[in-house]
Amino acid sequence: MGLIEELDALEARAKDMIAAADDAAALEAARVALLGKKGEITQVMHMMGKVAPEERPVLGKRANELRRMAESLIEHAQGDLKRQAMQQLMATEAVDVTLPGARPTIGHAHPINQIKEEIEDVFCGIGYTVEAGPEVETSWYNFTALNAPMDHPSRSARDTFYVVDNAPGSVPHPEEHAHGESDVLLRTQTSGTQIHIMEHQKPPIYAIVPGTVYRPDTADACHLPQFNQVEGLVVDEGITFGDLKGTLDYFAKAMFGPERKTRYRPHFFPFTEPSCELDVSCHVCGGKGCSFCKHSGWIEILGCGMIDPNVLVNCGVDPERYTGFAFGIGVERVAALRYDLPDLRTLMTGDMRFLNQF
């Protein structure tokens, strides 16, 4: 058999091998057997140097045609196998694109944040600005500048989280040194931001200060060691208790409904004089008396009062020219009253069965 006949026979075998390959592994084996380093077609190409010169052009052309034919058949076979695999995958993992998709769970604001934002909206609607203050304060801003004496019970370590005290060898901040106090603490109230605002802003001032406060209380139905307050501050010429009452009456009706009544009870706060606590009529019994309101018909929601002149003096504000009022709203307290929650701790559990209701 001549070399041309051997090439014809090799072409037939190559076609059969490639056609018989029914998967990627078999096709790769056929490629190696034909075109690999020791493949049959490769060996033929290496033999061209031993062929007689007069036969070399014809045999070389035939061998190149055979190699190109094998490469082309293998390439087409690879494409066919890929298409078959895709069709099989689509058949076994078919998806009906007309069916509705799985809707992701969309989150929403926590009820505490909802209430806080609603309080902000109420006061921004009547011209107040929203301010912020540091959560880590000094005794000057948290107590002394707010007219709290050194022996006030709230200044004890049982009622305040102290971070750094004025122990011998401590170096206070220059501003703290100017006030003679270097105690550092987690603020127990947002009222300290009043001092920051009045130190850097001249009256008229109409501002609220939402923020987190900290007290070493044991968590129970009515107390939390970390909670949120919204402090209110007004300083201007001619401000009276009537302005305070009108503002808070408007707030109570905006938050709890126009039918709710308000009551102001005398109280004591070091930084306001006169001071009082604001009650709203019980929404459960309509003010008639029930177990929820302890049969009084009223529910306390916040403390307030006219700013003590000493506080204005501590901030460099002339008390002969300016007067003002302040109030502190407990956000969790308002949320509990708004949503009829008997226990404040339910707001902090993170239980989605509870939170998804709001």
Side-chain angles (χ1 to χ4, degrees), residues 61 232 248:
K61 180 182 178 181
L248 294 182

Side-chain angles (χ1 to χ4, degrees), residues 246-296:
T247 300
L248 294 182
D249 282 353
Y250 169 77
F251 163 73
K253 294 181 184 300
M255 289 299 296
F256 300 108
E259 73 285 352
R260 302 297 281 275
K261 298 179 180 179
T262 57
R263 179 180 74 171
Y264 295 82
R265 289 183 293 107
H267 196 70
F268 171 75
F269 299 109
F271 40 87
T272 53
E273 181 60 38
S275 305
C276 57
E277 289 187 335
L278 172 61
D279 300 336
V280 295
S281 55
C282 179
H283 61 286
V284 176
C285 63
K288 297 178 181 179
C290 64
S291 58
F292 187 81
C293 61
K294 300 180 181 178
H295 302 285
S296 66

Side-chain angles (χ1 to χ4, degrees), residues 23-104:
D23 57 30
L27 185 61
E28 176 63 14
R31 186 194 68 79
V32 171
L34 295 170
L35 299 172
K37 289 183 178 181
K38 297 182 180 181
E40 292 187 64
I41 296 177
T42 304
Q43 294 297 322
V44 169
M45 300 298 293
H46 289 166
M47 289 173 55
M48 287 300 105
K50 301 178 182 179
V51 176
E54 63 275 11
E55 297 180 0
R56 193 174 300 166
V58 177
L59 293 176
K61 180 182 178 181
R62 183 72 178 90
N64 282 327
E65 290 175 351
L66 178 57
R67 177 176 57 80
R68 288 194 294 269
M69 179 274 299
E71 290 175 344
S72 178
L73 290 176
I74 291 173
E75 183 179 352
H76 282 87
Q78 288 175 338
D80 291 340
L81 289 175
K82 288 181 180 179
R83 284 191 291 273
Q84 292 173 11
M86 180 59 68
Q87 291 172 356
Q88 185 177 3
L89 182 64
M90 292 176 64
T92 56
E93 299 184 10
V95 175
D96 187 350
V97 295
T98 64
L99 293 175
R103 294 180 179 272

Side-chain angles (χ1 to χ4, degrees), residues 22-232:
D22 56 357
D23 57 30
L27 185 61
E28 176 63 14
R31 186 194 68 79
V32 171
L34 295 170
L35 299 172
K37 289 183 178 181
K38 297 182 180 181
E40 292 187 64
I41 296 177
T42 304
Q43 294 297 322
V44 169
M45 300 298 293
H46 289 166
M47 289 173 55
M48 287 300 105
K50 301 178 182 179
V51 176
E54 63 275 11
E55 297 180 0
R56 193 174 300 166
V58 177
L59 293 176
K61 180 182 178 181
R62 183 72 178 90
N64 282 327
E65 290 175 351
L66 178 57
R67 177 176 57 80
R68 288 194 294 269
M69 179 274 299
E71 290 175 344
S72 178
L73 290 176
I74 291 173
E75 183 179 352
H76 282 87
Q78 288 175 338
D80 291 340
L81 289 175
K82 288 181 180 179
R83 284 191 291 273
Q84 292 173 11
M86 180 59 68
Q87 291 172 356
Q88 185 177 3
L89 182 64
M90 292 176 64
T92 56
E93 299 184 10
V95 175
D96 187 350
V97 295
T98 64
L99 293 175
R103 294 180 179 272
T105 301
I106 301 176
H108 62 277
H110 191 280
I112 293 176
N113 288 334
Q114 293 181 34
I115 292 294
K116 183 168 63 175
E117 291 173 2
E118 189 169 344
I119 293 173
E120 292 175 2
D121 290 341
V122 169
F123 285 100
C124 287
I126 55 176
Y128 283 61
T129 62
V130 179
E131 307 290 343
E135 295 184 10
V136 179
E137 283 283 20
T138 63
S139 291
W140 167 259
Y141 288 101
N142 200 77
F143 295 121
T144 307
L146 291 169
N147 209 38
M150 295 299 295
D151 60 351
H152 195 276
S154 64
R155 302 183 73 142
S156 72
R158 289 178 296 181
D159 292 318
T160 299
F161 288 112
Y162 284 94
V163 180
V164 180
D165 60 21
N166 52 2
S170 62
V171 180
H173 186 278
E175 187 178 63
E176 299 161 10
H177 182 72
H179 298 308
E181 295 187 47
S182 60
D183 289 341
V184 180
L185 50 89
L186 298 180
R187 65 181 179 187
T188 61
Q189 54 196 355
T190 50
S191 303
T193 308
Q194 293 182 28
I195 310 303
H196 290 286
I197 294 174
M198 287 189 283
E199 282 182 342
H200 299 94
Q201 182 178 337
K202 294 181 179 180
I205 299 171
Y206 294 82
I208 57 170
V209 184
T212 307
V213 299
Y214 308 87
R215 298 178 186 176
D217 293 333
T218 301
D220 58 28
C222 301
H223 300 86
L224 296 171
Q226 175 183 324
F227 56 98
N228 294 270
Q229 280 187 341
V230 176
E231 184 77 13

Side-chain angles (χ1 to χ4, degrees), residues 233-236 239-240 272 305-308 312 322-326:
L233 173 67
V234 171
V235 180
D236 203 348
I239 298 297
T240 67
T272 53
M306 301 299 292
I307 298 176
D308 192 295
L312 297 176
Y322 296 103
T323 53
F325 62 80

